[in-house]
Amino acid sequence: MTADLRFNIQYAAVFAAAIIPSIAIEALPVKKKDFEQVIGIAFATLSLIILANIFGGRILGFGESFEGLQGGRNFGFLGDSITPVIILPLLYFLLRRNLIGAALMILCLILTGGKAGGLMLIAALFLIPLFVLRGPLRYFLLGLGAAGIYFLYPYVAELLESDKLQYSWNTRQLSYEIGIRLFTESPIWGVGVNQSMEGMSARAELDAHLRGLTRYWVVGQIHNSFVRSMAETGLIGLSVLIVFCAIIIRRALAAGELAVRTAQSPAQALALAGALWVIAFIVCNQGVGWFEHVHPQFAWLLMISSASLKAAEFSTHASRWVR
């Protein structure tokens, strides 16, 4: 995969098309009752697609699959970009107290072996009390979480160097180092959109040889959206991405704050689940690029952000708070 003209055209087309579902959701002129029916149909459909894709891939052997834990990693036809998406219906079912639906989504997540998805789920569950609690309890929980991260760091570092995760960790480290090096070559403007992919594998192989690394996968891209933006678009592009993420997180916080103050309903569950998903996605989902034309994760981010806001509007009738 290289950043040739055809690739860049596909990239631009998918990037532009990613905005359309978000705009459609924001402009949806429906009544609350109709909207909640749409929510039920949407989650039933999404869950069935995920189940058929993951279990079908596991049983029949179609689609993407890799060796790994749990007898292998299976992504079906939807690829590994489906892993973070599984977390949305999982959170929704938990909030709706649908334990069967939540259990099935957890099983799908296990079958994919998705590390980023697991981190997203942990982060999202940790965030729930932050929305619910007020005053000193909220800050106590934040402090407790920070202390936990500090004390767990040595164990996490040891796990990353273990046989189970060494290939993935080394692959990402190599891509980060190349990204930072490219950034130093052109810190203001960057090397150009998608141009970091040119010769990426060869550079990674040379770096791995110099460091004596033998356990790593083929490095085809920078495995971090912020580092990749920094390398390809410099400080200017990175600043735009940071501002965008700050806006999206602010919208998610507003939607989540409103959702926890309303009665339980499908709209309330979508508002809170979407808010949790958006924040967890931005913080944890850095394994693949958000803007790849084969990984339409940017579209999911925009769409779920808009759906969470729309659901908060329906559940509170206070749309001015989340605009």
Side-chain angles (χ1 to χ4, degrees):
M1 185 185 295
T2 58
D4 56 21
L5 179 60
R6 180 181 177 184
F7 179 91
N8 284 331
I9 291 173
Q10 291 175 320
Y11 177 98
V14 173
F15 185 84
I19 303 171
I20 296 174
S22 175
I23 295 174
I25 291 172
E26 293 260 4
L28 200 63
V30 295
K31 298 178 181 178
K32 180 178 179 180
K33 181 179 179 181
D34 295 333
F35 184 70
E36 294 199 332
Q37 289 178 345
V38 170
I39 292 173
I41 294 171
F43 274 105
T45 303
L46 178 60
S47 301
L48 287 173
I49 290 173
I50 290 172
L51 286 167
N53 180 69
I54 301 300
F55 279 91
R58 180 74 174 219
I59 296 169
L60 302 177
F62 62 71
E64 256 185 66
S65 63
F66 301 96
E67 295 182 2
L69 302 177
Q70 299 91 34
R73 304 181 64 192
N74 301 91
F75 303 106
F77 288 128
L78 298 178
D80 61 354
S81 61
I82 195 60
T83 303
V85 180
I86 296 172
I87 304 304
L88 180 67
L90 200 167
L91 291 172
Y92 176 81
F93 290 139
L94 283 175
L95 293 170
R96 294 293 292 158
R97 300 178 183 177
N98 182 344
L99 298 184
I100 295 176
L104 288 173
M105 291 300 101
I106 289 174
L107 183 56
C108 287
L109 183 63
I110 291 172
L111 291 176
T112 67
K115 297 177 287 295
L119 285 174
M120 281 182 63
L121 178 58
I122 293 170
L125 294 176
F126 175 77
L127 285 169
I128 292 176
L130 295 182
F131 281 114
V132 175
L133 298 178
R134 293 289 181 271
L137 280 175
R138 173 182 288 186
Y139 296 108
F140 173 76
L141 184 63
L142 281 172
L144 192 64
I149 292 172
Y150 175 80
F151 286 110
L152 288 174
Y153 176 78
Y155 301 99
V156 173
E158 183 179 350
L159 179 62
L160 291 173
E161 295 295 338
S162 67
D163 290 340
K164 295 178 180 179
L165 297 178
Q166 199 173 57
Y167 275 88
S168 294
W169 180 235
N170 287 341
T171 302
R172 281 156 177 75
Q173 278 189 301
L174 289 169
S175 77
Y176 301 159
E177 291 167 3
I178 293 171
I180 293 170
R181 195 159 63 240
L182 290 173
F183 168 71
T184 60
E185 294 177 6
S186 181
I188 304 301
W189 302 101
V191 297
V193 175
N194 289 330
Q195 295 310 303
S196 69
M197 301 174 71
E198 285 289 349
M200 172 69 75
S201 298
R203 287 195 292 266
E205 288 179 11
L206 177 60
D207 288 353
H209 176 73
L210 293 174
R211 292 176 52 187
L213 292 178
T214 57
R215 294 186 162 196
Y216 65 96
W217 306 116
V218 174
V219 182
Q221 61 166 315
I222 298 172
H223 290 266
N224 184 288
S225 297
F226 292 98
V227 176
R228 180 167 178 174
S229 296
M230 185 172 69
E232 295 184 350
T233 59
L235 288 174
I236 295 175
L238 178 64
S239 299
V240 172
L241 179 60
I242 290 173
V243 170
F244 165 78
C245 289
I247 293 171
I248 291 291
I249 289 175
R250 179 179 175 275
R251 285 156 55 102
L253 289 171
E257 290 278 359
L258 288 172
V260 297
R261 296 202 296 268
T262 61
Q264 289 189 358
S265 69
Q268 186 263 1
L270 173 56
L272 184 54
L276 295 169
W277 188 95
V278 165
I279 299 171
F281 178 92
I282 291 174
V283 173
C284 302
N285 195 61
Q286 294 295 329
V288 297
W290 296 352
F291 309 115
E292 292 288 347
H293 72 284
V294 293
H295 292 289
Q297 307 222 335
F298 185 62
W300 281 105
L301 177 59
L302 289 178
M303 184 166 57
I304 293 171
S305 174
S306 295
S308 177
L309 285 175
K310 180 63 69 171
E313 292 178 11
F314 278 110
S315 62
T316 63
H317 300 287
S319 62
R320 66 184 184 279
W321 286 34
V322 293
R323 291 296 182 184

